[in-house]
Amino acid sequence: MKYTYFAITLAAIFLYSCGNNLSPTYSHDIAPLIYRSCSPCHRPNQVGHFNLLTYEDVRLNANKILYTVTNKLMPPWPADPHYTEFIGQNILSDQEIITIEKWVALNCPVGDSLHIPPIPDFPLRSFIGIPDLSIPVKPIALKGNSMDQFLLIKVPFELPTDTFLRAVEFAPGNTKVVHHVNGDMVRFEYDKKKNVFDGELVSNMKLDSTIGLAYQKIGILHDDGTYPTLVKSIVNYLPGVIAQQYPNGIGGWKVNRKNAFLLADLHYGPSEIDTWDSSYINIFFAKEKPKRPLQEFQMGTLGVSPIVPPLVIPPGKVSTYRTELFIPKAISLVTINPHMHLLGKRFLAYALTAEKDTIRLIHIPRWNFNWQYFYTFKKMVKIPAGSTICVEGVFDNTIENPLNPFNPPQTVRDNNGSMKTTDEMFQFIVNYLPYEEGDEQISLEVKK
Ligand code: HEC
C-alpha cells in the first residue's frame, strides 16, 4: 500500500516535470537561455553577425539556431566540460537543447508576451563591464583585396598619475575583419619621453629581428634612445575571447603617466570590399597595487620546452606531437591558452606529479581554429614541485580536414613561429603564480 502511494507520487512528479517541458514558450523557457548563452555575442558591436535579443530575432532564426545547437556548434565552447571546468563556461545542457527542439517543433510559441524577461543591460563594446577609459586605436582603412594584413600599431595614452590596471580589453570595431591581436604595453619614464604621440602610429613592419628599427619608426624609444619597460602580452584578442580579470590582489599591472600599447600583430582577415576598422582598448583601474602579479611561460613553439618530434607535419597523415616541462617548484595555475592553427585536431594537457598522479588541465576533443580562448580555472590549480606538465597535440594533414589550406596536402611546419595561418603552431601558454599555502581554495571568479 505504502509503495503504491510512493509510486503514484513519483509518477505525478514525473508527469508534472515533463508537462512543464512539453510546451516550452519563449517568455518562460527560451528567452533566459538565449540571454545567458547567445546574446553576449549576438548583439550590436559584437562578433555574432546578427542579433539574438528579441522574440522576433530568435523566431526568424529558429531553424539556424536549432541546427547550430543540436550540432553543438553554438555556443562555441571547444573545451570538454567533463574533463575540466572553467570560469565563463558557456554550454547548453542536453535538457536545454531538447527544450529548444520542442519549441521550434511547436512553431516557436511566445507564451505570455507581457512577461518576456527584460533584455539584460550589456555594456557597449565590452564583455566584462563599463571601462574606466576607452582608448581609441587609430582607424585603419582596409583595401578590398582579399588579403590578410598584419599591422604593428601604437596606441599612446597619458594618465594624470602612475597607477595600476586590473584588466585590459580589446574591443574590435569591425568584427568582420578584425581577427586577432597580441598586445604589449610600454611604460615610459616620465622625464625621458616628451611626447608619447610622436612617431608613426601604424607600420607594417614585423617585430622580429628588426625590432629596434620598428621601435624607432613608431617612436617607442625614449628620447635619449634607451628602451622603455616592456610589459608583455597585456591584451589578447580572438573572436569570443573574454578579457581576463581576477579578484583583487591577483594579476594586474603598474602603469605610468606616459605609456603606449603596442599591438604587435593586429591581424585583419581578408575582405572583398574596401572597408575600415576603428577599434578600442578598454582599461579598468585596480583599487590597489597587485600583490601577486601573474607570471607566464609558453611551452612548444617559441617556448621553453621542445616539441617531440619536431613539428614537421607530413602530408596525408594524422600525427601526434608532445611537449613536456618539469616543474621544480610548486606553482598555482590560473589561466591557460592552448594554441594550434588550421591542422589542429585535438589538444590535451595534464600534469603528472612525482607520485604519477594525474592533474587534468584541458581537453579539446574537436579543435576549432576559430575559438581559442584563454581558459581561467574556477579555483587555482596547484602543480606540486617535481611534477611534469604534459601536452599532446594531434594534427590532421589529410584532405579529410576541411580547413587544410593545401590541396593536395603539403609538409607543414612551425617555421620558427612565423604566425602565418598556413604555417602551424603547437603552443601552450600558462599564466601562474608561485604556490602559496591555501591557493587551491582561492576562487578566481570576480564578483559583480
Ligand atoms: C562567443 C561568441 C558567441 C556566442 C556566445 C554565440 N555565438 Fe553564434 N556565432 C558567433 C559568431 C562569431 C558567428 C559567425 C561565425 C561562425 O559561424 O563561426 C556565429 C554564428 C551563429 C549562427 C550561424 C549563422 C549563419 O548564418 O550561419 C547561428 C545560428 C548562431 N551563431 C546561433 C547562436 C546561438 C543560438 C547561440 C547561443 C546558444 C550562440 N550563437 C552563441 C558568436 C557567438
Side-chain angles (χ1 to χ4, degrees):
M1 188 59 201
K2 232 183 183 169
Y3 289 106
T4 324
Y5 182 67
F6 184 53
I8 292 172
T9 316
L10 265 189
I13 292 172
F14 180 66
L15 279 179
Y16 177 71
S17 52
C18 287
N20 244 354
N21 279 326
L22 269 180
S23 49
T25 61
Y26 184 75
S27 67
H28 187 265
D29 307 274
I30 303 296
L33 189 157
I34 297 282
Y35 294 164
R36 182 199 73 206
S37 285
C38 318
S39 314
C41 292
H42 289 277
R43 61 178 166 116
N45 286 313
Q46 278 300 346
V47 291
H49 301 317
F50 60 102
N51 291 346
L52 289 177
L53 290 170
T54 65
Y55 170 64
E56 281 303 296
D57 293 340
V58 178
R59 187 181 65 84
L60 290 173
N61 290 292
N63 286 324
K64 280 203 281 186
I65 292 172
L66 183 64
Y67 176 82
T68 51
V69 301
T70 48
N71 288 290
K72 308 220 162 162
L73 302 170
M74 288 283 146
W77 188 263
D80 175 1
H82 303 297
Y83 193 74
T84 32
E85 296 203 335
F86 298 94
I87 290 176
Q89 174 171 298
N90 188 2
I91 49 173
L92 298 179
S93 67
D94 292 343
Q95 192 55 52
E96 287 171 325
I97 296 173
I98 294 172
T99 304
I100 295 176
E101 281 176 316
K102 283 186 186 156
W103 182 70
V104 177
L106 288 169
N107 228 344
C108 313
V110 65
D112 179 357
S113 60
L114 289 178
H115 287 98
I116 296 174
I119 297 169
D121 217 352
F122 294 110
L124 180 74
R125 289 209 201 89
S126 171
F127 265 104
I128 61 175
I130 298 169
D132 295 306
L133 211 59
S134 262
I135 306 167
V137 177
K138 183 184 160 68
I140 304 288
L142 297 157
K143 281 244 168 334
N145 56 7
S146 301
M147 304 251 291
D148 286 285
Q149 284 199 57
F150 295 86
L151 298 179
L152 169 65
I153 301 188
K154 182 177 72 164
V155 186
F157 65 104
E158 286 187 290
L159 298 172
T161 105
D162 293 0
T163 180
F164 304 100
L165 300 180
R166 69 177 181 84
V168 181
E169 178 182 43
F170 184 84
N174 185 341
T175 52
K176 289 200 174 65
V177 288
V178 177
H179 186 266
H180 84 255
V181 173
N182 299 111
D184 305 332
M185 184 180 74
V186 287
R187 283 195 306 241
F188 296 110
E189 280 170 51
Y190 185 75
D191 25 342
K192 287 197 178 166
K193 187 79 179 170
K194 252 203 200 85
N195 181 3
V196 290
F197 297 92
D198 71 5
E200 289 169 36
L201 291 180
V202 180
S203 155
N204 50 14
M205 286 177 89
K206 302 276 293 175
L207 280 189
D208 41 30
S209 50
T210 53
I211 181 164
L213 262 177
Y215 272 23
Q216 258 173 32
K217 190 154 181 244
I218 65 169
I220 283 297
L221 302 181
H222 281 136
D223 298 337
D224 62 4
T226 56
Y227 280 84
T229 314
L230 182 71
V231 188
K232 289 292 284 176
S233 207
I234 191 169
V235 54
N236 294 294
Y237 172 82
L238 274 163
V241 158
I242 298 174
Q244 293 147 250
Q245 52 172 348
Y246 303 107
N248 272 342
I250 296 175
W253 307 269
K254 180 176 188 286
V255 269
N256 286 352
R257 290 171 66 178
K258 293 180 175 174
N259 317 273
F261 289 111
L262 198 57
L263 303 177
D265 249 314
L266 180 48
H267 177 188
Y268 289 108
S271 171
E272 283 167 16
I273 49 165
D274 287 355
T275 182
W276 62 290
D277 169 52
S278 162
S279 295
Y280 285 82
I281 296 177
N282 295 333
I283 64 179
F284 300 78
F285 293 124
K287 289 200 187 76
E288 51 193 294
K289 179 176 172 173
K291 285 188 209 68
R292 302 180 70 189
L294 289 185
Q295 302 184 28
E296 180 178 296
F297 60 77
Q298 291 182 15
M299 295 172 64
T301 309
L302 298 177
V304 290
S305 61
I307 302 174
V308 184
L311 195 65
V312 180
I313 308 172
K317 281 197 182 143
V318 174
S319 25
T320 301
Y321 299 82
R322 274 170 237 281
T323 180
E324 293 189 357
L325 184 66
F326 180 74
I327 304 296
K329 266 192 174 164
I331 56 174
S332 298
L333 300 196
V334 174
T335 297
I336 53 177
N337 169 240
H339 183 57
M340 305 196 279
H341 288 177
L342 300 165
L343 300 183
K345 184 179 172 69
R346 201 169 88 93
F347 194 103
L348 177 70
Y350 55 91
L352 271 184
T353 67
E355 295 76 34
K356 298 284 175 257
D357 287 329
T358 301
I359 302 169
R360 296 172 173 198
L361 299 179
I362 191 164
H363 179 215
I364 299 182
R366 275 195 298 170
W367 177 257
N368 187 327
F369 176 70
N370 292 318
W371 304 111
Q372 307 201 26
Y373 297 117
F374 285 76
Y375 293 93
T376 297
F377 292 104
K378 291 192 164 171
K379 287 184 175 163
M380 292 192 210
V381 174
K382 177 183 179 185
I383 306 294
S387 306
T388 302
I389 296 184
C390 309
V391 188
E392 196 178 292
V394 179
F395 293 84
D396 182 348
N397 194 2
T398 68
I399 41 169
E400 310 295 312
N401 177 355
L403 295 185
N404 198 328
F406 302 108
N407 188 3
Q410 296 179 10
T411 302
V412 173
R413 44 188 105 222
D414 56 6
N415 276 334
N416 297 319
S418 79
M419 299 234 209
K420 272 215 317 257
T421 315
T422 50
D423 288 334
E424 258 316 318
M425 284 180 93
F426 175 41
Q427 208 174 45
F428 189 53
I429 302 175
V430 176
N431 288 302
Y432 71 98
L433 295 168
Y435 176 73
E436 284 180 14
E437 195 69 39
D439 270 358
E440 311 83 322
Q441 267 75 51
I442 298 183
S443 164
L444 291 169
E445 218 120 10
V446 175
K447 293 191 190 69
K448 290 253 161 86

